[in-house]
Amino acid sequence: MKTIPHIISGNPVAGADYSPVFNPATGEQSGQVASGGPAEIQAAVAAAQAAFPGWAATTPARRAKVMYEMRRLLEARKEDLAQAISAEHGKTHSDALGEVARGQEVVEFACGIPHLLKGSFSAGVSAEVDCYDTRQPLGVVAGITPFNFPVMVPLWMIPVALACGNAFILKPSERDPSAPNLLHALWREAGLPEGVLQVVHGGKGAVDAILDHPGIAAVSFVGSTPIAQYVYAKGCAAGKRVQALGGAKNHLVVMPDADLDQAADALMGAGYGSAGERCMAVSVAVPVGQKTADALVARLGPRVQALKIGPATDAGTEMGPLVTAAHRDKVVSYIDAGMAEGAELVVDGRGVSLQGYEKGFWLGGTLLDRVTPEMSVYKDEIFGPVLSVVRSETYEDAVGLINANPFANGTALFTRDGDAARDFAARIQVGMVGINVPIPVPVGYHSFGGWKSSIFGSHGVYGPEGVHFYTRLKTVTSRWPAGIRGGAQFHFAER
């Protein structure tokens, strides 16, 4: 059984306490991870503060060289990272590789930091007066990241923060900590100076220590909405800059003119990929019109029933286990509640058991039809392989349903009609919109972020928003009096 340590000042640091780490496919404990608190955060901040001045003084071009090398290493070591993800999260190997690739996009974006940090200059704003602005790093910043993307979400934060000249403290999820530690090793191999990046594991004690520490200037967070609210309120009260991304309830609207086979394929990937454990998963299908709904459910049912459930090590596996037994049981409780409240169970994913993996945290794909907005299965973020079908009579009803939802992370519309697509994109009150694209996660040179209860703070992550979050603006207005070109000048003061 392996032990996963903290990494402070480039060195592995043992924990005073440890938490178990499980293989979700077998249900067996595969390791233990150090659990930190105020003492470990204090040590990490001290190391980061010592490393920050030298790194901030490093030219953007030299920082970009580290980014280029990290991009190369991510490509070279993607198999190792994917295996580490699957072993502790449970997602399929192809899903894990996709996670690495999406994180790599942000590293590619950060390679352009010399251009991204360019300021503006105005000559002659007044007589012999010039004005220019520059963006400078904040200092020591921290990221608190979730279990569902142990590589991608840290890479949403770390490359941009480091490229801007900050030192970074990562507090990853204690459920799948091996991949974040491997990321640290790759950053060091890429040439990042010792102490610029720290990894401290732990639960709420480590989170509170980060939020309370006066030496940490900013905090990035991705997780559930209740915790995002907590992080935002506590961090802001401590005077920090905070971006806190919360939960989601993402809808995919299917118009009567849509290609229903294409829409069904999209819903399979968006609803059941990564076992639904992602904030951009589509958990609500909204077919417009009863005929559309009947035809869509008829296409979805057999596909959901045929999903191949298994460990990441099995060829052809389409969906892996959930991350913990407790989370699996929580998702099951939502299915139970949906049936009790009147939803029609089309495909039941409960009770899955695999030979040789009987203790794994399994749940098959579940499809619920005739779900209504009053049901808990609709109102709450389930974070599992459960797709709810909410039938809508008209397009306007579908738009109203989405706009009334307190979550506003992502949404999509499937249609052949340009007018409907244009209207949907303009009127829908959601931060990320897909048109015939089921999971509209922006590429690395745009920015990711929802609206309403899906985000707290004024900045999205990565892209231009990330650069602005991890820097602060300084504006310089300068005037130079006549100097050497005018010859020597002598001034005598009267007594």
Side-chain angles (χ1 to χ4, degrees):
M1 186 171 68
K2 65 179 179 180
T3 296
I4 300 105
H6 309 296
I7 304 175
I8 299 174
S9 293
N11 299 311
V13 175
D17 296 302
Y18 288 88
S19 299
V21 178
F22 293 92
N23 179 337
T26 65
E28 297 173 348
Q29 184 175 348
S30 59
Q32 59 178 4
V33 60
S35 185
E40 289 79 9
I41 295 299
Q42 175 58 41
V45 171
Q49 288 175 326
F52 167 69
W55 180 243
T58 302
T59 64
R62 288 188 178 274
R63 296 199 296 262
K65 288 183 178 180
V66 175
M67 302 298 136
Y68 277 108
E69 181 61 12
M70 183 61 177
R71 186 206 176 281
R72 186 191 71 81
L73 289 170
L74 285 171
E75 183 65 28
R77 300 289 297 280
K78 61 185 178 184
E79 289 290 336
D80 295 339
L81 284 164
Q83 289 171 12
I85 293 167
S86 295
E88 294 175 356
H89 175 278
K91 66 178 63 175
T92 65
H93 188 64
S94 60
D95 271 349
L97 285 173
E99 172 179 347
V100 176
R102 293 310 302 263
Q104 186 176 319
E105 283 185 7
V106 181
V107 178
E108 291 170 351
F109 169 77
C111 289
I113 199 63
H115 171 76
L116 296 168
L117 289 180
K118 284 196 309 182
S120 60
F121 182 90
S122 295
V125 296
S126 186
E128 299 180 341
V129 176
D130 302 325
C131 188
Y132 67 91
D133 59 63
T134 182
R135 303 203 72 90
Q136 296 185 340
L138 303 178
V140 177
V141 300
I144 302 166
T145 59
F147 76 85
N148 58 324
F149 288 101
V151 167
M152 185 185 76
V153 174
L155 288 178
W156 281 1
M157 304 172 185
I158 296 172
V160 181
L162 296 183
C164 290
N166 299 282
F168 198 95
I169 297 170
L170 174 65
K171 206 301 289 180
S173 171
E174 63 276 21
R175 296 177 185 176
D176 41 13
S178 292
N181 273 26
L182 179 53
L183 272 184
H184 181 279
L186 295 183
W187 279 111
R188 291 289 288 119
E189 189 177 344
L192 190 69
E194 185 177 295
V196 175
L197 175 64
Q198 327 287 329
V199 182
V200 177
H201 301 284
K204 186 175 183 298
V207 170
D208 285 341
I210 288 170
L211 298 174
D212 289 336
H213 200 293
I216 296 175
V219 176
S220 301
F221 171 85
V222 176
S224 69
T225 286
I227 301 177
Q229 288 177 304
Y230 175 82
V231 168
Y232 183 73
K234 190 174 179 66
C236 289
K240 303 184 191 308
R241 183 179 292 189
V242 182
Q243 56 179 186
L245 279 66
K249 200 69 181 179
N250 304 318
H251 302 68
L252 189 151
V253 178
V254 182
M255 295 293 287
D257 71 324
D259 182 323
L260 291 183
D261 289 321
Q262 183 187 69
D265 286 343
L267 284 165
M268 290 301 298
Y272 302 104
S274 198
E277 293 175 320
R278 52 189 180 191
C279 67
M280 289 298 285
V282 170
S283 56
V284 184
V286 187
V288 175
Q290 295 301 323
K291 289 184 179 180
T292 306
D294 290 342
L296 182 66
V297 171
R299 284 167 170 79
L300 284 172
R303 301 185 195 198
V304 178
Q305 190 72 54
L307 272 172
K308 184 175 179 182
I309 313 299
T313 51
D314 282 7
T317 292
E318 295 175 307
M319 192 174 81
L322 272 67
V323 69
T324 65
H327 184 57
R328 186 264 321 276
D329 294 345
K330 180 180 178 182
V331 176
V332 168
S333 74
Y334 276 110
I335 300 171
D336 295 340
M339 293 177 61
E341 293 168 358
E344 178 184 324
L345 185 64
V346 180
V347 181
D348 189 352
R350 297 169 297 177
V352 171
S353 180
L354 301 183
Q355 185 175 359
Y357 298 93
E358 288 82 3
K359 295 182 179 179
F361 311 140
W362 303 106
L363 180 65
T366 297
L367 179 62
L368 295 171
D369 192 10
R370 303 184 188 279
V371 172
T372 64
E374 296 76 28
M375 297 179 183
S376 60
V377 73
Y378 174 80
K379 291 189 294 185
D380 298 342
E381 182 182 33
I382 297 175
F383 224 61
V386 180
L387 179 63
S388 298
V389 177
V390 177
R391 295 173 176 236
S392 179
E393 290 299 327
T394 67
Y395 167 78
E396 288 297 332
D397 289 342
V399 170
L401 175 76
I402 297 169
N403 284 347
N405 197 281
F407 296 111
N409 213 37
T411 190
L413 176 76
F414 272 60
T415 183
R416 291 185 173 96
D417 183 66
D419 174 61
R422 188 172 186 273
D423 180 81
F424 186 82
R427 291 173 53 206
I428 211 70
Q429 296 170 22
V430 177
M432 292 171 283
V433 181
I435 303 298
N436 298 316
V437 174
I439 304 180
V441 176
V443 294
Y445 42 90
H446 285 266
S447 296
F448 180 105
W451 289 5
K452 297 192 282 191
S453 293
S454 292
I455 193 169
F456 301 89
S458 56
H459 291 287
V461 293
Y462 66 78
E465 288 280 285
V467 173
H468 287 176
F469 180 77
Y470 289 120
T471 59
R472 50 189 169 189
L473 185 70
K474 177 180 286 184
T475 304
V476 178
T477 304
S478 63
R479 177 180 180 275
W480 292 94
I484 193 169
R485 68 183 178 86
Q489 296 181 2
F490 300 93
H491 299 279
F492 299 93
E494 294 184 1
R495 296 193 178 201

